[in-house]
Amino acid sequence: MEFLTHTWHWSVAGFIIAAIMLLLNYFGKVFGMSSNLRSLCSMTGVGKKVPFFDWDWKAQRWNLAVVFGAMIGGYVAVHYMSDPSNVTLNPKTITQLASLRIDAPNGKLLPNALFGREIFHSPKMIFILLVGGLLIGFGSRYAGGCTSGHAIAGMSNLQAPSLKAVIGFFIGGLIMSHLILPLLF
């Protein structure tokens, strides 16, 4: 059972993702998380007031398995695979995190300063989460899909718009992590 208690090697997850993408391509389906959020909103009937959500979500029911799979996978990862003994951080990374007042994970997969429950006691962090969520939602719709849809599905189908979107995501991530995030902390 050691296979289940440690984080998996990247090649295992990569192989599983590739196999799923081949199956989706074979059946003519398109993968992406943001389209699931649109389906969930459409299910509530908000499409009667907002035309963007007025579409046949029932044709995309199969894709809702992605949402439930992400939730189940997250639960399994936290409760059964959270032994980070085979994950090491570069000492320079730990020093950079400390300069931002972010604790080193110290035996955890994620630092509490960013992913712990104490973030809900800080109005600043709640504001950052809300604004970040709105920007991600707007950006995924503006780009015609989210990072998983473009990077995994679009690029595996050799779509040029997905390549442009992924380049934009990476540039935006670099700007955020190196220029904006240090100002926020």
Side-chain angles (χ1 to χ4, degrees):
M1 289 302 252
E2 187 173 320
F3 184 68
L4 291 176
T5 59
H6 285 70
T7 55
W8 290 357
H9 190 268
W10 60 266
S11 63
V12 174
F15 176 78
I16 292 170
I17 290 170
I20 290 171
M21 291 312 303
L22 284 171
L23 283 171
L24 289 174
N25 285 339
Y26 178 77
F27 289 108
K29 306 291 184 184
V30 178
F31 170 80
M33 187 59 87
S34 62
S35 58
N36 288 315
L37 299 174
R38 183 179 182 193
S39 294
L40 291 171
C41 291
S42 296
M43 289 170 60
T44 65
V46 77
K48 295 174 184 164
K49 296 186 180 194
V50 181
F52 179 73
F53 297 113
D54 186 21
W55 70 301
D56 183 20
W57 62 268
K58 292 178 183 177
Q60 293 293 317
R61 275 186 289 197
W62 68 270
N63 207 6
L64 293 174
V66 174
V67 174
F68 297 115
M71 291 189 292
I72 292 168
Y75 179 83
V76 168
V78 167
H79 294 286
Y80 300 106
M81 300 176 70
S82 60
D83 177 18
S85 62
N86 62 344
V87 177
T88 55
L89 289 177
N90 187 316
K92 289 181 182 179
T93 301
I94 293 173
T95 304
Q96 288 176 337
L97 289 172
S99 72
L100 295 172
R101 289 175 293 201
I102 298 173
D103 58 323
N106 295 330
K108 299 180 301 283
L109 290 175
L110 303 168
N112 286 336
L114 298 175
F115 299 97
R117 294 179 188 212
E118 59 266 9
I119 64 171
F120 296 109
H121 300 293
S122 167
K124 177 182 171 183
M125 288 302 291
I126 292 172
F127 178 75
I128 289 171
L129 288 172
L130 290 173
V131 170
L134 288 171
L135 289 173
I136 288 172
F138 172 77
S140 68
R141 286 295 84 207
Y142 185 74
C146 60
T147 52
S148 60
H150 280 298
I152 298 171
M155 288 186 58
S156 68
N157 288 321
L158 304 175
Q159 296 177 359
S162 290
L163 177 62
K164 292 175 188 175
V166 170
I167 290 170
F169 295 148
F170 272 97
I171 291 171
L174 289 170
I175 290 170
M176 180 65 193
S177 62
H178 290 288
L179 301 177
I180 299 173
L181 191 62
L183 297 174
L184 297 175
F185 284 97

